[in-house]
Amino acid sequence: MTDLLITGGTVIDGTGSPGVRADVVVDAGRIVAIGNYLPGSLSADRTIDATGLVVAPGFIDMHAHSDLQILANPDHTAKVSQGVTLEVLGQDGLSFAPIDDPTRTAVRRQIAGWNGEPDDFDFSWSTVAGYLDRLDQGIACNAAYLVPQGTLRMMVIGTANRPATAAELDEMKRLLAEGLQQGAVGMSSGLTYTPGMFADTAELVELCKVLAEYGGYYSPHQRSYGKGALEAYGEMIEIARQSGCALHLTHATMNFEPNKGRGVDLLAMIDKALADGVDITTDTYPYLPGATTLSAILPSWSAEGGSDALLARLADPADRERITYELEQVGTDGCHGCVTDWNTIEIGGVKNATLSGAVGNTVAEIAAGIDKPPSWVFFDLLIRDNLATTILQHVGHEENVQAIMKHPTHTGGSDAILVGGKPHPRAWGTFPRYLSQYVRELGVLELADCIHHLTGRPAQRLRLTDRGLVREGYHADLVLFDPDGVRDTATFDNPRQQALGIPWVLVGGVPVIEDGHRTDALPGRAIRRTSSAAPTAP
């Protein structure tokens, strides 16, 4: 007698190999056999008829912003209904472990637009180990964690724009090493966000040497995805080269008008570095617009000193004039060196309910409706919403998206913000969109290759030796989907819509999606880095 028998499906195992008709036997949360069995030859507590369905490894979201939401709202339907069974948290250099009390208050305020501010939330942890232990109490899908470099800098230096002293750098390295020892898989940076942006290349190299020592990887949100994108990618590759650490170029895009058609230039740079022996992977989301906070497009000088100092500058007429000039005439580092086009900035969410009418409109549309300059609307929203406003930024190029997703370093990452009145539809649609839009409809990727991008390849980056494939002995993290019917239904107008054609999702052999509906199961746990040794490539 076994726990579960999945019969009649086409197994696409995550290695890139074509699918084969096979039954999958699961016991005690792991795959114990794969083969073709005569009806009645095996006894199981439960049988799932997968006729007409693909049986694949659960999808791995390499860039998630669910750090608090996965705990505060354990249903987590947005992710598990897409087939996600593992997501990587701690992104963009700002998160909640390790952390002390003053930094926790500052980080919560700074990234409220990413995570919300859950009521009566228990922040009882201060270390990476404490956060991972909290995840182990039960979550919808599994989660791995990156130590956030910006949070380290805030704890040790604060929000000052200056180089770290030798003692401060040693302390950041100590905290990073401690986080890796406690199970973090690597380190993230947010180099357009305060205070991570104040670290120079040499500081980042020293931190990445710690990553190399522990077998972790570096996942940077780099200094520019716009006018200086290629130079910024070059800096990240040089950091990996000098430090010897693995590099994961997260949300690897070439956005804004200066980069139209230049995705191939990025790929040529990556190919050269790979040929030189640099270990590089990437992730992308299958959409054109990006998403961030409205405050992110400000020039970095305005954010020095933290949120209160920033709000004071936003209220000062001279500073407002300077900021407006840089936004509209020069291009700020926060807006990736590009002049701000207010028509491309759509309000995605607000914390202040009195501002809810702004959601779904561009800054330019709001300004026209009240006969005010766009910059006035910009400052008004930031001040009245206490910097918590989120935006969609319509600056992508389809030819770049397709070129990058076809590259052999590519994995999938939603970069999803789950909160706000109108979040980016990638929060609910990223993985089914790959399967419908870019496999079935456009043929950019073959189905087995796409599944490899979303499962086996990211598992290899995470150094997982028993997840990411449909293979005997592996954890039964599985998604069953209809290859002809799977599709995303989340749209920019109606983003919180569950995908179609994904009737079953299992985490450790436990259904979290059953016949298309969310169960109440919370079988997910923290995935800890356990070894510096790289596994055999899936």
Side-chain angles (χ1 to χ4, degrees), residues 169-231:
L169 182 55
D170 284 345
E171 177 62 6
M172 286 189 285
K173 291 168 68 175
R174 185 192 69 79
L175 289 168
L176 174 57
E178 184 177 81
L180 294 166
Q181 291 163 3
Q182 293 173 0
V185 296
M187 182 183 76
S188 73
S189 286
L191 301 179
T192 65
Y193 301 123
T194 306
M197 65 172 64
F198 300 140
D200 60 19
T201 302
E203 180 178 318
L204 296 171
V205 168
E206 289 303 307
L207 290 169
C208 286
K209 287 179 181 178
V210 179
L211 294 177
E213 179 182 352
Y214 284 91
Y217 70 91
Y218 183 36
S219 180
H221 170 120
Q222 62 191 42
R223 300 189 197 275
S224 176
Y225 291 89
K227 187 176 181 180
L230 288 177
E231 292 81 0

Side-chain angles (χ1 to χ4, degrees), residues 76-321:
H76 214 43
T77 302
K79 288 302 186 67
V80 295
S81 67
Q82 296 183 57
V84 172
T85 59
L86 168 59
E87 55 184 5
V88 184
L89 309 175
Q91 302 287 349
D92 291 343
L94 290 166
S95 191
F96 299 95
I99 205 159
D100 54 26
D101 288 340
T103 306
R104 181 184 296 111
T105 299
V107 170
R108 283 192 71 183
R109 186 177 183 185
Q110 184 170 344
I111 59 173
W114 295 357
N115 289 273
E117 293 195 273
D119 295 333
D120 301 320
F121 193 77
D122 177 18
F123 280 101
S124 57
W125 70 84
S126 59
T127 63
V128 169
Y131 179 66
L132 298 181
D133 287 346
R134 179 69 178 277
L135 295 176
D136 276 341
Q137 294 177 20
I139 49 180
C141 64
N142 300 310
Y145 186 74
L146 298 164
V147 176
Q149 171 258 332
T151 301
L152 296 183
R153 205 173 207 274
M154 193 179 296
M155 288 176 67
V156 175
I157 300 174
T159 55
N161 182 3
R162 63 169 177 80
T165 65
E168 289 167 341
L169 182 55
D170 284 345
E171 177 62 6
M172 286 189 285
K173 291 168 68 175
R174 185 192 69 79
L175 289 168
L176 174 57
E178 184 177 81
L180 294 166
Q181 291 163 3
Q182 293 173 0
V185 296
M187 182 183 76
S188 73
S189 286
L191 301 179
T192 65
Y193 301 123
T194 306
M197 65 172 64
F198 300 140
D200 60 19
T201 302
E203 180 178 318
L204 296 171
V205 168
E206 289 303 307
L207 290 169
C208 286
K209 287 179 181 178
V210 179
L211 294 177
E213 179 182 352
Y214 284 91
Y217 70 91
Y218 183 36
S219 180
H221 170 120
Q222 62 191 42
R223 300 189 197 275
S224 176
Y225 291 89
K227 187 176 181 180
L230 288 177
E231 292 81 0
Y233 280 116
E235 180 192 13
M236 299 304 102
I237 291 170
E238 187 58 27
I239 288 169
R241 193 189 307 274
Q242 291 185 30
S243 67
C245 80
L247 175 65
H248 182 75
L249 296 171
T250 195
H251 43 50
T253 57
M254 292 287 288
N255 288 338
F256 299 90
E257 193 58 31
N259 291 319
K260 184 174 177 60
R262 300 195 71 191
V264 292
D265 297 334
L266 168 61
L267 298 179
M269 179 182 291
I270 291 173
D271 286 338
K272 183 180 185 304
L274 291 169
D276 291 341
V278 182
D279 182 0
I280 302 176
T281 49
T282 64
D283 73 58
T284 69
Y285 46 83
Y287 297 87
L288 300 187
T292 187
T293 57
L294 184 61
S295 62
I297 70 172
L298 286 161
S300 59
W301 64 263
S302 67
E304 184 176 359
S307 297
D308 288 334
L310 171 57
L311 286 167
R313 292 185 183 104
L314 297 180
D316 179 81
D319 284 335
R320 285 168 71 115
E321 183 176 355

